[in-house]
């Protein structure tokens, strides 16, 4: 990452802005990024769960190209991706995204070790997979070789054979919802009851849409990729929306090589 800097206050005189930009025209360390993306202090003080999303979108609103998000991402985007994981208690992800993106267990990273220990966190975040149909390969490393046990969130009427297969593989099954599908509000509560209050979701769009429709999303970290893809790719958020659109406020804006790294919080 060659250049990553905060957008400066436009009320500052131009010559002072130039000095500020020159000072920040360098690679930010992961520790600096962790400070910039820290969860709110109220969450750390036990005020309850905080759900943050991290997604990437092209200029024309596509969340992926050829079925994967990496093709519209960048090295700087992946640094922020890793930082957000380094701060989270748990990464919540939909089953389809696990299949398409080839998810692997989150790994412990030395750069975040002291910070996580001070926050009472384990060395790496857990991965929580949300699935109704349980059409998952439980022999994959995400389930069979995690440093932190992977969680499987499903409904009470999910296929019994799938639940047995998950439990046989050592996966902890979390029931959140009375039907075959997942009640996302119940899922957030169940994770919080396990002490997992710093939540990060990486989608996919349908799961994120459920969080938005339920009014559960506290923060959106959205990378705007400077590419056009056309086609029929999904948006960042999919599915039915809330009756009234929710307003979010811009918290920070970073830029590198034409990629914009935005961060919004619910008003």
């Amino acid at each position: 990452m060659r250049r990553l800097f905060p957008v400066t206050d436009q009320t500052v005189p131009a010559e002072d802005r130039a000095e500020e930009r020159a000072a920040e025209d360098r690679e930010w360390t992961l520790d600096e990024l962790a400070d910039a993306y820290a969860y709110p202090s109220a969450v750390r003080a036990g005020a309850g769960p905080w759900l943050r999303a991290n997604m990437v979108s092209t200029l024309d609103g596509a969340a992926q190209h050829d079925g994967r998000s990496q093709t519209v991402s960048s090295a700087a985007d992946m640094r922020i991706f890793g930082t957000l994981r380094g701060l989270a208690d748990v990464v919540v992800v939909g089953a389809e995204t696990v299949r398409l993106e080839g998810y692997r267990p989150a790994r412990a990273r030395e750069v975040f070790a002291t910070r996580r220990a001070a926050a009472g966190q384990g060395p790496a975040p857990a991965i929580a997979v949300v699935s109704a149909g349980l059409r998952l390969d439980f022999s994959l490393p995400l389930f069979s070789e995690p440093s932190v046990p992977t969680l499987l969130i499903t409904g009470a009427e999910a296929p019994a054979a799938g639940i047995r297969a998950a439990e046989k593989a050592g996966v902890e099954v979390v029931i959140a919802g009375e039907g075959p599908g997942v009640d996302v509000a119940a899922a957030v509560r169940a994770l919080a009851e396990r002490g997992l209050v710093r939540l990060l979701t990486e989608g996919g769009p349908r799961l994120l849409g459920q969080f938005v429709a339920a009014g559960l999303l506290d923060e959106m970290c959205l990378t705007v990729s400077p590419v056009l893809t056309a086609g029929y790719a999904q948006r960042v958020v999919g599915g039915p929306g809330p009756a009234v659109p929710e307003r979010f406020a811009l918290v920070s804006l970073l830029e590198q090589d034409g990629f914009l790294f935005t961060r919004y919080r619910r008003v």
Side-chain angles (χ1 to χ4, degrees):
M1 183 169 58
R2 294 188 303 278
R3 189 169 77 180
L4 188 62
F5 56 86
V7 173
T8 53
D9 185 349
Q10 296 302 305
T11 64
V12 176
E15 61 273 18
D16 291 342
R17 292 203 305 272
E19 291 179 4
E20 290 178 7
R21 178 161 176 158
E24 294 296 346
D25 189 9
R26 61 174 177 79
E27 177 176 300
W28 280 28
T29 67
L30 290 176
D31 202 47
E32 287 174 322
L33 284 175
D35 285 339
Y37 281 92
Y39 279 82
S41 57
V43 180
R44 299 193 295 271
W50 182 271
L51 178 60
R52 160 188 285 169
N54 183 35
M55 301 291 283
V56 60
S57 170
T58 65
L59 293 177
D60 51 336
Q64 54 192 225
H65 182 62
D66 289 338
R68 305 191 69 187
S69 62
Q70 284 98 327
T71 55
V72 297
S73 181
S74 69
D77 185 40
M78 295 310 296
R79 281 175 66 85
I80 292 177
F81 174 94
T83 299
L84 295 181
R85 281 196 166 197
L87 297 172
D89 295 331
V90 61
V91 178
V92 186
V93 62
E96 184 66 11
T97 297
V98 167
R99 288 188 287 264
L100 289 174
E101 303 282 358
Y103 260 60
R104 298 184 63 83
R107 59 190 178 92
R109 300 181 64 183
E110 184 62 32
V111 68
F112 300 118
T114 300
R115 185 184 297 268
R116 291 185 67 87
Q121 296 173 295
I127 304 291
V129 181
V130 178
S131 177
L134 306 187
R135 295 183 298 276
L136 294 158
D137 182 353
F138 295 110
S139 68
L140 293 175
L142 175 62
F143 302 104
S144 62
E145 302 174 11
S147 57
V148 179
T150 296
L151 304 175
L152 177 63
I153 305 177
T154 192
E157 296 181 8
I163 292 178
R164 287 195 298 270
E167 292 176 336
K168 184 177 180 180
V171 178
E172 180 182 351
V173 178
V174 179
I175 301 299
E178 298 179 357
V182 173
D183 178 335
V184 290
V188 169
R189 289 195 300 270
L191 292 171
E193 288 168 0
R194 287 165 170 77
L196 306 174
V197 294
R198 302 170 185 87
L199 281 68
L200 169 66
T201 181
E202 297 168 351
R206 285 180 293 180
L207 176 60
L208 184 51
Q210 292 177 59
F211 285 129
V212 170
L216 295 169
L217 188 67
D218 297 298
E219 181 177 323
M220 170 67 92
C221 297
L222 178 66
T223 297
V224 180
S225 175
V227 299
L228 294 169
T229 61
Y232 302 97
Q234 284 185 300
R235 298 170 47 188
V236 170
V237 182
V244 178
E246 283 197 277
R247 180 68 183 269
F248 281 64
L250 182 66
V251 176
S252 64
L253 177 62
L254 309 176
E255 183 272 345
Q256 180 185 327
D257 297 333
F259 284 79
L260 298 180
F261 305 97
T262 72
R263 185 182 180 196
Y264 290 86
R265 286 185 183 174
R266 182 169 52 190
V267 174

